[in-house]
Amino acid sequence: MLLSLRSFKLKTRMVLILGMMALLQTGLIGFFALAYLSHSLDEQIGQRALHVAKTIASIPEVIEAVENRDSELLQPLTIELANINDARFVVIGDRNGIRLAHPSWKRVGKPMYDDDGDYNEPALLYGKPYIQKATGSLGASVRGKAPIFDSNNENVVGIISVGFMLDTVEEIIDRYRNTLYLVIALSFGLSVLTGLWFASHFKKAIFGLEPEQIGQLFQERNATLESIREGIIAVNNQGNITTFNRAAIETLGLDANTQLTGKPIEEILPDSRLMNVMLSGKPQFDKEIWLQDRNLIVNRLPMHQDNEITGVVSSFRRKDELDLVSRRLTQIQKYADTLRSQSHEYSNKLHTIAGLIQIGATEEALALIGQETLSHQALIQLLVEAVPDPILAGCLLGKYNRAKELGLHLDIDPESSMKAIPDRIPREELVSILGNLIDNALEATLKNQKFEVKLSMTDLGNDLIFEIEDQGAGVPEEQHENIFRKGVTSKQGEGHGFGLHLVTKLLQKLGGTIMLEPGDKAGSRFTVYIPKDR
């Protein structure tokens, strides 16, 4: 049955189910009502027949006529009594069950047993009245039978049988049965109309989807939630949690066995501020907050239905994860810039050498090769001795080539030493700090039409110290504090003002500091201090 119903659409299913329920309920109630009515009518008619029989059995004239076996008196009397009490018949028999009065004279003098198959023992032998339902010569009837006692009320001298025909009962039941059929039809029609209205309203509430589609979407939704690495929590308009994923529990550091569904958000996360979004109805994007002692980037979005806010959904991720992704992307970009610079630089040199060879200037070509080789050998030798860390050395080599590509010179102090970099300092963060400062210095120097950028570094003492000095226009003293804020820049166009801010954030994480002061030859000098031990 269920399989067959699934082949129909939701509206058809609801109409069929409601219709069948209406038929079943009204049918069962009607069957019970008719059975109860039939039993009650039989009992009432039987009690009435018995009452009439007892009344007739107590009439002195009837007692005397029975004792005298006076059928001439009893015959018309019973007919009159039957008419007065609306009974179908009144039959009187003697103590042996032989009829003394009957609606038909032909049956007078014959035993009552021939009529109903009953020996009348309860009344004749034991003197007890009783009710009987039987089919006799006059048809099916309910009979009340009572014993007739003699004038001294000691001995049974006869029996009275008063009958009411059952066709009257059947007529009443048929009338009620027709009414019941009408009620069933009306109930079925009302159920169909109710089913159509409810199905239409319900389909609208579930956006016209079928139950199987909702089940599939529910499974897809659960799979999607668990596959997302961002934590997701949704609450209803009462502030109770309705949705969450495993990433939310892990990101917030909650117990893995915590059951969040149905719990108030204020109880689980008192500082979530989701209810503020519920009240204001305004979404929030990329908000940086502290929650559960974790620095998170949060989005909060109210959910609307019929112009009412039904809940709020929030997605969040740890900020350090986003910073790590950002740093990795920045580092990849720097590696790409380094490779491009080196490729471009060596491409120019190779073209120059090839041109010199073609025009026969072999000595000049050899001199250029020797000069280039000597310059790079000196730089590489310096980096090998002063900066054994390959990641930092590769970054400096790339920046050196980038400077040459721009027509500038990155002067690395030969007295520099950076050999004792602690393992606790992530190399990609160190490269990101140094790379941003060198890039800013190269741009400032190029913009001011100067030539040189200086870099010195030392690991002596308790700190790693880097000094980057440019020959740019310098930074006004009143801007020394603001230059490190996000979005603050002296450059034109969009996409600037993030490098120094990122440097500051990374240094805060490492426990370091940065100082800005005027350079020896104008420009600016940035000094970075990173403690070896926190």
Side-chain angles (χ1 to χ4, degrees):
M1 182 65 177
L2 293 177
L3 293 176
S4 60
L5 283 177
R6 288 180 181 176
S7 60
F8 296 103
K9 291 189 175 297
L10 177 62
K11 183 179 291 187
T12 305
R13 276 186 265 182
M14 295 186 73
V15 170
L16 289 175
I17 291 174
L18 289 176
M20 288 188 292
M21 288 296 296
L23 287 176
L24 182 62
Q25 290 177 352
T26 53
L28 290 175
I29 294 173
F31 176 79
F32 173 77
L34 290 177
Y36 181 77
L37 177 62
S38 177
H39 176 74
S40 298
L41 288 175
D42 287 346
E43 186 176 359
Q44 291 177 12
I45 293 174
Q47 290 295 332
R48 182 180 178 186
L50 184 59
H51 176 71
V52 173
K54 288 180 178 181
T55 302
I56 295 174
S58 62
I59 298 175
E61 291 82 358
V62 173
I63 297 174
E64 184 179 355
V66 171
E67 289 178 339
N68 297 326
R69 301 182 62 84
D70 187 356
S71 297
E72 294 293 336
L73 176 63
L74 294 175
Q75 184 69 11
L77 180 61
T78 56
I79 294 175
E80 182 182 359
L81 291 172
N83 292 332
I84 293 174
N85 292 281
D86 293 327
R88 180 64 181 86
F89 61 85
V90 175
V91 177
I92 299 177
D94 62 12
R95 65 181 312 276
N96 295 316
I98 302 301
R99 296 187 186 95
L100 299 176
H102 190 276
S104 175
W105 270 103
K106 295 180 180 181
R107 294 187 176 272
V108 175
K110 294 182 179 181
M112 297 174 68
Y113 174 78
D114 295 341
D115 197 14
D116 54 25
D118 184 8
Y119 289 102
N120 305 312
E121 290 183 358
L124 294 175
L125 295 181
Y126 305 106
K128 294 182 179 180
Y130 65 98
I131 298 172
Q132 178 192 33
K133 186 176 183 181
T135 302
S137 60
L138 298 178
S141 63
V142 176
R143 305 168 185 186
K145 295 189 177 185
I148 302 174
F149 291 91
D150 58 18
S151 56
N152 296 323
N153 201 27
E154 294 179 355
N155 300 314
V156 176
V157 295
I159 184 172
I160 297 289
S161 178
V162 179
F164 289 86
M165 303 306 293
L166 289 179
D167 53 358
T168 305
V169 177
E170 293 297 330
E171 289 177 2
I172 296 174
I173 293 177
D174 286 341
R175 187 165 63 250
Y176 278 98
R177 185 181 291 112
N178 293 332
T179 303
L180 177 63
Y181 290 155
L182 178 61
V183 171
I184 290 177
L186 291 176
S187 177
F188 179 76
L190 181 61
S191 297
V192 170
L193 294 176
T194 303
L196 290 173
W197 173 83
F198 183 73
S200 300
H201 179 76
F202 189 70
K203 289 277 286 185
K204 181 181 178 181
I206 60 176
F207 305 101
L209 298 174
E210 294 295 322
E212 292 75 15
Q213 294 175 316
I214 295 176
Q216 183 178 358
L217 289 175
F218 181 75
Q219 292 178 342
E220 291 177 357
R221 168 256 197 191
N222 287 341
T224 302
L225 285 177
E226 295 304 324
S227 65
I228 295 176
R229 295 187 62 186
E230 286 194 352
I232 293 179
I233 288 182
V235 300
N236 58 18
N237 55 6
Q238 302 298 323
N240 297 326
I241 298 174
T242 58
T243 302
F244 67 96
N245 63 353
R246 185 59 51 185
I249 294 179
E250 295 175 353
T251 302
L252 296 174
L254 301 176
D255 186 359
N257 298 321
T258 301
Q259 179 56 252
L260 299 181
T261 304
K263 296 286 186 67
I265 188 65
E266 298 295 336
E267 176 184 327
I268 303 299
L269 300 171
D271 300 326
S272 66
R273 299 185 181 179
L274 289 180
M275 299 309 294
N276 294 347
V277 178
M278 182 86 67
L279 296 175
S280 66
K282 297 180 179 179
Q284 299 177 355
F285 299 102
D286 297 330
K287 291 289 185 180
E288 182 177 345
I289 67 170
W290 280 91
L291 189 63
Q292 296 288 98
D293 295 329
R294 287 169 169 79
N295 194 8
L296 306 176
I297 301 297
V298 178
N299 296 298
R300 304 184 184 103
L301 189 67
M303 296 180 291
H304 296 269
Q305 184 174 3
D306 297 332
N307 298 323
E308 293 184 1
I309 298 178
T310 58
V312 178
V313 61
S314 174
S315 64
F316 48 89
R317 194 164 186 174
R318 294 185 61 168
K319 185 177 182 297
D320 52 4
E321 292 183 6
L322 297 177
D323 289 343
L324 178 59
V325 173
S326 176
R327 290 194 299 271
R328 288 179 177 175
L329 291 176
T330 302
Q331 189 59 40
I332 292 174
Q333 181 64 41
K334 293 184 182 300
Y335 288 155
D337 291 342
T338 298
L339 293 175
R340 183 173 59 83
S341 300
Q342 291 180 347
S343 174
H344 189 268
E345 177 69 15
Y346 282 105
S347 177
N348 291 334
K349 295 295 177 60
L350 288 175
H351 289 161
T352 301
I353 293 171
L356 291 173
I357 294 175
Q358 287 178 357
I359 63 176
T362 55
E363 292 185 2
E364 287 79 359
L366 291 174
L368 181 59
I369 293 173
Q371 179 183 355
E372 189 65 24
T373 302
L374 182 62
S375 175
H376 271 78
Q377 282 183 344
L379 175 63
I380 292 174
Q381 184 66 28
L382 171 62
L383 293 178
V384 168
E385 294 179 357
V387 189
D389 186 273
I391 297 178
L392 182 58
C395 174
L396 295 177
L397 181 60
K399 297 304 178 185
Y400 179 85
N401 291 326
R402 173 62 177 165
K404 292 190 66 176
E405 180 184 351
L406 295 173
L408 305 175
H409 175 62
L410 177 60
D411 183 15
I412 301 177
D413 188 351
E415 301 297 325
S416 295
S417 175
M418 192 57 59
K419 301 178 181 179
I421 303 177
D423 293 336
R424 77 167 188 88
I425 299 178
R427 299 306 188 263
E428 65 273 10
E429 296 181 1
L430 185 60
V431 166
S432 182
I433 294 171
L434 195 58
N436 273 291
L437 293 175
I438 294 176
D439 285 341
N440 286 345
L442 292 176
E443 291 182 20
T445 301
L446 182 64
K447 183 179 180 180
N448 203 33
Q449 297 181 354
K450 298 297 182 178
F451 173 72
E452 190 175 52
V453 172
K454 293 183 178 181
L455 168 65
S456 64
M457 47 192 170
T458 179
D459 55 1
L460 299 178
N462 297 324
D463 298 323
L464 304 181
I465 302 175
F466 300 88
E467 283 190 359
I468 299 94
E469 183 177 344
D470 61 51
Q471 292 182 344
V475 178
E477 186 174 354
E478 62 270 14
Q479 294 186 11
H480 281 197
E481 294 294 332
N482 295 330
I483 196 68
F484 297 103
R485 294 182 180 177
K486 187 177 182 179
V488 177
T489 181
S490 59
K491 303 172 186 176
Q492 300 296 325
E494 298 180 356
H496 301 291
F498 299 97
L500 289 179
H501 176 71
L502 177 60
V503 169
T504 304
K505 288 295 183 181
L506 293 175
L507 286 174
Q508 288 177 354
K509 181 179 178 181
L510 298 176
T513 57
I514 183 171
M515 294 180 57
L516 170 60
E517 56 186 353
D520 294 336
K521 300 178 180 179
S524 302
R525 179 188 301 115
F526 290 87
T527 306
V528 173
Y529 300 89
I530 302 176
K532 296 179 181 179
D533 296 317
R534 291 296 296 268

